[in-house]
Amino acid sequence: MRNLLNIILLIVGFANGFVSKEAFADFKIEKIEDLEVVNQDGKKVNFYKDLVKGKRVGINFIYTTCKMICLPMSAVFSSTAKMLAKEEDSEKYELISVTLDPENDTPEKLKEYAKKHNREKGWTLVTGDPDKVRKLLRQLKGFEQNIENHGAFTVVGNDSTGEWRKVGGIKPPKELYKEMIKLKKNEKVESISSEKKKEKKLIGHIFQIQRF
């Protein structure tokens, strides 16, 4: 029944244009501070060091009393986390839901919400001190003045390459999964490019030595 509801909301979301043009625009995150937040289990974690550093991440923005767009967005995260868990380097992926309502969304409420939406390993929900959470939301470009009309988008990024972009928040799970896998591909390209630069530099040194 719950899955049927999420499917219906997903269709309704597309039909009513929940995904704005802005959701697909490329953008850059300048800095993510290592702010202390609290996860759905009541554990204090450092947002950057524990959840983002060295990982390929997907971040969305929800609140537990949301009756509309958050439902399909969370269904997408649950299914995507399940798919990513099958990857050989699954520990390199992290899906994160940041609350837009830290005053009311306690860890207990997040845990209840996570259970309701079949949270899978690799999907973390966070809340915390309202000032810290709002600061984090601004840095992630997820800050919303009116949480009841918040945008349906997901921020995907690779901390290793510095690649960040917005994608539709209610796209089918397989599509979000592909977006996450792309981050790995680009990481490899970045790695190969770096190796080539090192090779060129080494060859240059060899030529200089030969001249002498």
Side-chain angles (χ1 to χ4, degrees):
M1 186 68 181
R2 187 181 302 139
N3 289 334
L4 178 60
L5 174 61
N6 286 330
I7 291 171
I8 293 172
L9 286 170
L10 186 62
I11 294 171
V12 171
F14 280 119
N16 288 287
F18 279 136
V19 183
S20 65
K21 291 180 180 179
E22 181 190 14
F24 298 96
D26 288 337
F27 77 121
K28 185 175 178 63
I29 289 181
E30 300 294 338
K31 181 182 181 181
I32 300 177
E33 290 186 44
D34 202 21
L35 298 170
E36 183 181 88
V37 293
V38 184
N39 69 14
Q40 72 282 341
D41 295 320
K43 180 181 178 182
K44 292 180 179 179
V45 296
N46 292 313
F47 190 85
Y48 177 73
K49 184 178 72 175
D50 297 327
L51 300 176
V52 177
K53 187 177 180 179
K55 295 184 179 182
R56 307 153 203 141
V57 301
I59 307 169
N60 69 12
F61 310 95
I62 63 159
Y63 61 104
T64 60
T65 55
C66 177
K67 302 299 181 184
M68 289 295 291
I69 202 63
C70 297
L71 302 182
M73 287 174 65
S74 296
V76 169
F77 261 35
S78 177
S79 297
T80 303
K82 194 170 185 177
M83 287 187 275
L84 291 173
K86 296 177 182 178
E87 293 295 306
E88 291 184 6
D89 57 347
S90 59
E91 74 284 353
K92 284 287 188 179
Y93 294 94
E94 189 78 41
L95 297 179
I96 311 163
S97 290
V98 182
T99 180
L100 292 165
D101 188 15
E103 287 91 352
N104 298 304
D105 282 345
T106 62
E108 292 78 15
K109 287 185 177 179
L110 287 184
K111 187 165 188 174
E112 182 181 347
Y113 182 91
K115 183 178 180 180
K116 179 180 178 181
H117 293 279
N118 304 309
R119 186 185 79 86
E120 296 283 343
K121 183 179 179 181
W123 175 22
T124 302
L125 294 82
V126 300
T127 185
D129 176 80
D131 290 336
K132 290 182 180 179
V133 172
R134 288 196 186 91
K135 188 174 185 179
L136 181 61
L137 288 169
R138 283 191 287 269
Q139 291 176 0
L140 297 171
K141 311 296 173 70
F143 186 72
E144 298 284 347
Q145 293 292 338
N146 185 351
I147 63 174
E148 293 182 357
N149 294 315
H150 70 91
F153 64 86
T154 297
V155 173
V156 297
N158 186 324
D159 180 59
S160 298
T161 64
E163 176 188 3
W164 293 93
R165 62 180 181 274
K166 283 183 181 180
V167 299
I170 52 174
K171 59 168 54 202
K174 285 186 179 180
E175 293 301 313
L176 180 57
Y177 167 78
K178 289 178 182 178
E179 290 286 352
M180 298 294 290
I181 296 301
K182 277 184 191 177
L183 295 171
K184 180 179 180 179
K185 180 180 179 182
N186 294 342
E187 184 180 281
K188 287 183 177 180
V189 170
E190 182 83 8
S191 177
I192 292 170
S193 177
S194 297
E195 288 300 320
K196 286 184 178 179
K197 287 180 181 178
K198 289 179 183 178
E199 287 176 8
K200 287 182 180 180
K201 190 174 182 179
L202 178 61
I203 292 171
H205 284 311
I206 292 173
F207 278 134
Q208 286 181 355
I209 293 171
Q210 288 178 339
R211 285 176 183 173
F212 291 104

